[in-house]
Amino acid sequence: VNVGDMNLVALLPEGVVALGAMLAVAADLAGPKTRRASLPALVACVSCLAALLLLLRPPAGAAVAGHFVDDGFSRFVRLLAAGGGLLLSGLSAAYTRRMDRGHGEFYGMLLLALAGVMLVAGVADLMSLFVSLELVTVTSYVLAAFKRNEATSTEAGLKYLVVGAVSSAVLLFGIALAYGATGTVDFAALSRHVAGRGFSPLLSLGTVLVFGGLFFKCAAVPFQVWAPDVYQGSPTPVTAFLSSLSKSAGVVLLLRLVAVLVVPAMGAEGAGTWAAILAVAAGVTLLYGNLGAIPQRDVKRLLAYSSIGHAGYLLLGLAAVAASADRSVQEAAASAVLVYLLAYYLTTVTAFAVVACVSAEGRGHDVEASYEGLSRRSPFLAFAMLLALLSLAGVPPMAGLIGKLLVFYAVVRAAEAHPALYVAAFVGAAGVVVSLYYYLLLIRRMYVGTPPQGASRVPVPWPARAVIAVGIVSMLAIGVYWGPVQEAATKAARALFATVVP
Amino acid sequence: VNLLLAILLFPAAGAAALFLVPSGNAKVARAVAFVATLGSLVLAVALTLGFSTTDAPTEAAGTHVYKHVISVPWVESLGLQFKLGVDGIGVAMVLLTAITIFTGVIVSFSVTDRAKEYYVSLLALVTGVFGVFTALDLFFYYFFYELAVIPMFLLIGCWGSTTRTMNRDYASMKLVLMLTTGAVLALVGLLAVYAQGPRTFDMVAIERYVGSVGYSRGFQMVWFPAVFLGFAALVPMWPLHSWSPGGHAAAPAAVSMLHAGVLMKLGAYGILRVAVTYMPDAAAVYLPWVAVLCCMNIVYGGLVAMAQRDMKFVVGYSSSSHMGYVLLGIATANLVGVEGAVLLMFAHGLMTALAFSLIGWFYDQTHTRMLDDLGGLMKRLPFVGTCFVLMTMASAGLPGFANFVSELLVIVGAWAQGMWLPAILATWGIVITGVYLLRTVKSAFFGAMPSRWEGLRDARTPLERLPYALLVAILLLVGFWPQPMMDVIRQGAEPLVESMQAAQRRAGMAVPAPLEAAKPSEAGAR
């Protein structure tokens, strides 16, 4: 490998974020004592901003001897990730100011995880896929258990570790089988292989296992059991990370794999099986998540189940990619998934920012104790939560509606080839109604109930206020006028399929 | 400036402006809502009066002309635009909405708890309703449709009432979930209409496509039920009606007015504008069945209303009974019937708005709507009582009110179409209406008055009387002189009926000769 092939400049944004991680730790260790809490947060925000700016340059093509690729698709996803990282850093700043130590580690880990998510966007072979994903996963273990004095947080970290380790093993085993079946881990070579020879049983098994490992990241059935406990126990900014960036890592990789493995084999016999697998997983996941959320009394568990439900909608979009041989439908479906991810990022971060503020009072995450009558004591927070919940439910004029609408649109178009997808569309529609039910229950608590005795206005630290304001404005803006976002997503989707063997 | 855009923007701007009003300042919030809805009303009246002569931009699909068209490209890759425009049916509905919300805001002056939030929700709701009646783009149609449903949850949940007969938590949740179920069902259908048709959300372009190429018969037979049922849940068609009376009972007065007066019309409007317009061949097959189902609305709804002791439930079930006539009118698929249906949507909207606003007047003071607790209220409430009696006469289809004209048209239309049984049952339904409403009037307003109602206050100031007087006046005006309104409605109904009848001929069904000689509208005037 010669140095010219490395083209490391393509990975500069990740480098900046990783450097930020080191600096955050250093700032905590060596910085002035009075600034220990704020300096690492500042470093995190600045490095996310720097990464965002670096990502505005044109894509640089293959990098690291072809193990990574800096194409339009990875640009879009990395921009999302860097933007999400910025919001999460702001949200964390509102949270970590109450910690007495460990700021450096917290932001260091958060930035490393973010670098992992950004790397995931551009992987070009199965090995770099595994390594990038592990970077996200391992740092998440630490983050989930960050409140090490609290039993719930330790439990969350441990559960996440056990389930995560198993799913990493499954993923790795799948990669090994795929390698054994094809003799390559390179996406382009794999793509040519399936285009020529289709799926051998061994490769099919390997692909299923890889998908399984990624389902864990997305919190999709049957690898979703960890989500409620881990979401509940983790520090709130970490929960926000798990449900947004970490989930998107899995979704983005699934999208990439569907594009390089499933799409080239579209003409072959049994190609519809992949669409069927994804559609069934999507239907079961969204029903599981939305039905499971109904009895929840802890707001973080509720949002955990809701995030499982959203994984279902994202998988529905993936199923549409896998179902249709029409490139325009595939692009529509892939861009729908990307827009959905963006809307979902903004919405979850807003929701968890509210949760972080409310739980800082020390009343916990119980909906009855903390959210009853919230609108009477903190109208701003209640309104932000109202909009976030409506966006999650997919109600106009919020961004969530656009994501859902585009996914449904892609599914209905793909259903021309596979009429069974109409069933999936109706299941998805039923999921919308179910989800609206439990979101409305929470909204009713906030707006109809009376606040508990002695509860007063919830203090909102300025970073949280800023994150919430950005969230509200962008949710509304995208909900009403999303043309530019969709255009960018369509371009990204086109780049994703540009390299695929027809 | 486009008239429709201005009508839509008044409440939207009002809602936005309310965010700037400090909480707890009910007076300013009221004033903002009053001005916003008054603006819409003035423009809506101007729209109606000038509709036939306007020179605003038009766009046509075949003979179907939409006026006041404005279109702004929105998301070009999807063929999506922000497009507004109305035909005669839309004009009638916009006017109905403007009158109902204006009177509703005045009636709401008694709301003091979180007035700002109340009016924000109310104005958001009405923005959605105006949007549905004027949108000419399927995406925005759905957008506004859902926008109209969600605020109902907060309005009923926060400002509604829990009584012996209905719990507001239960009612608000049921209402929103059933309506959203209908909406998403219709949404999947709309997406299929989009994907399998000319790949545009432009409703006029789809209509042109339907007129030239058309959806395949198989497509229509599968998707008509999905779209129709999605909207029929909102009408509400029996057996999907159960959210409605409970929702009325739990809602505050102005919300009941909007709910019965306007929201239910969204469903009937969707059936006309989307289901029937895009899939006329399936409509020809399915609508006779709808004529059967809507008899259940008329008769069953009426009989259930007879058994109610809560006045809001009486009017609530009577509403779903009357919406049966609207469905019957649509199902006739002839000009007389469809015109009657649309005029009834208008007349019934005003009539129920009047009913709920009057009930709200004394409920605010008595905190009961149970007929057993009331009695002899006429002594203390002569003005409100008189209006209530007039409302009863309108509802029971007495000549002189707009309801008489429209119900007559529906029944004549059904008869002409050979729907003998529905026509007979619908006539009988008028008798049922008379029975339960007269009983209601008798036990609430006449007879001995319990002494605890001695202190009741009648509507005295001009502002207090304005909403009731306005509603009664319009009902009488349209009742005595229906022709101008009929002409406006005919502009939209005629092309629709032509396409329905063409589909009937394609299906080999008998199409009756037009009922020109009858001119029942003039008969109503006499």
Side-chain angles (χ1 to χ4, degrees), chain A residues 198-210:
Chain A
F199 278 88
S200 64
L202 197 59
L203 180 58
S204 301
L205 182 61
T207 312
V208 167
L209 292 178
V210 171

Side-chain angles (χ1 to χ4, degrees), chain A residues 1 36 47 74 118 131 138 189 203 207 216 224 226 241 272 279 301 343 362 373 398 424 447 450 462:
Chain A
V1 177
R36 266 204 191 150
S47 48
S74 92
M118 290 167 69
V131 173
V138 173
L203 180 58
T207 312
F216 161 77
Q224 84 297 357
W226 58 275
F241 169 77
R301 286 186 82 85
M398 310 307 299
Y447 276 85
T450 43
W462 72 263

Side-chain angles (χ1 to χ4, degrees), chain A residues 89 97 105 108 142 176 192 208 213 217 314 346 348 363 397 417 422 439 452 468 498:
Chain A
S89 303
R97 49 203 260 147
E105 289 96 320
V142 183
R192 280 192 297 275
V208 167
K217 276 271 125 200
L314 290 160
L346 294 168
T348 26
R363 290 170 187 273
Y422 281 126
Y439 295 134
I468 293 174

